[in-house]
Amino acid sequence: MRLSKKGEYAVRALIEIGFEAQARPNSLIQISTVAQRTNIPEKFLEQILLALRNGGVLKSKRGVEGGYSLAKASDEITLGEVVRLLDGPLAPIPCVSKTAYERCSCPDEESCGLRIAMRQVRDAIATILDNYTLSRVIQEVQKHRTAKKTEWQFEI
């Protein structure tokens, strides 16, 4: 598994949309605002947010007062879900994928040492990402920002 720019930007955008949802529940945030705050090219962000909307993570409203918001609670959105939507399976090789399995060329797939190791890698990645919610990411970002502000105030 390799996190692409699309996957990275999706998580950054969701964090920003999640902060907006906390600050102003039931509000919408425009693509231009998300792009500006996250330093993501707006045209690329449009594609990413569309994929997240089609995947059921975001909802949108068109028009002048339109924008995006979370389609479900931030504690119901996992990084695993987001990464799979944007970058595909978490498995490092197709023969250990749960969602995109492909038979490998090994003569005995069940006793293949590489497959055994890569299955453990897949399981470890999935365990972490499937239990890491957007809500948790937002809390950790807030904690770091607060600590950074406090450090900055002491330096003055």
Side-chain angles (χ1 to χ4, degrees):
M1 181 216 114
R2 184 174 190 282
L3 188 64
S4 68
K5 275 290 182 202
K6 221 177 208 184
E8 176 190 338
Y9 287 173
V11 173
R12 285 176 35 196
L14 281 172
I15 291 167
E16 194 57 44
I17 294 168
F19 272 122
E20 188 70 17
Q22 281 185 345
R24 296 182 0 211
N26 302 317
S27 67
L28 299 171
I29 186 168
Q30 294 184 335
I31 290 176
S32 58
T33 304
V34 176
Q36 182 182 17
R37 290 180 185 173
T38 59
N39 200 30
I40 299 171
E42 194 169 331
K43 288 291 182 192
F44 194 31
L45 183 59
E46 286 176 17
Q47 297 170 19
I48 293 166
L49 297 184
L50 181 62
L52 291 170
R53 190 194 76 196
N54 291 340
V57 175
L58 294 177
K59 56 186 176 182
S60 65
K61 180 182 173 190
R62 299 183 117 186
V64 178
E65 294 187 24
Y68 282 88
S69 63
L70 299 177
K72 48 191 174 181
S74 61
D75 62 351
E76 295 175 9
I77 300 169
T78 68
L79 294 185
E81 175 184 14
V82 174
V83 170
R84 284 184 189 93
L85 277 172
L86 278 294
D87 289 337
L90 300 179
I93 56 177
C95 65
V96 297
S97 177
K98 287 186 175 183
T99 58
Y101 169 82
E102 289 179 25
R103 180 142 173 67
C104 65
S105 61
C106 295
D108 182 8
E109 192 176 68
E110 288 307 309
S111 64
C112 172
L114 177 62
R115 185 169 189 264
I116 292 166
M118 290 299 114
R119 186 181 303 137
Q120 290 178 21
V121 170
R122 180 215 55 210
D123 290 347
I125 291 170
T127 297
I128 293 168
L129 294 181
D130 289 340
N131 289 295
Y132 216 106
T133 65
L134 177 60
S135 175
R136 180 176 167 195
V137 175
I138 291 168
Q139 289 172 352
E140 291 187 16
V141 169
Q142 285 175 324
K143 190 170 31 174
H144 285 281
R145 287 181 181 173
T146 301
K148 192 174 179 180
K149 253 187 210 175
T150 305
E151 287 174 19
W152 182 79
Q153 289 172 343
F154 286 123
E155 290 177 7
I156 294 180

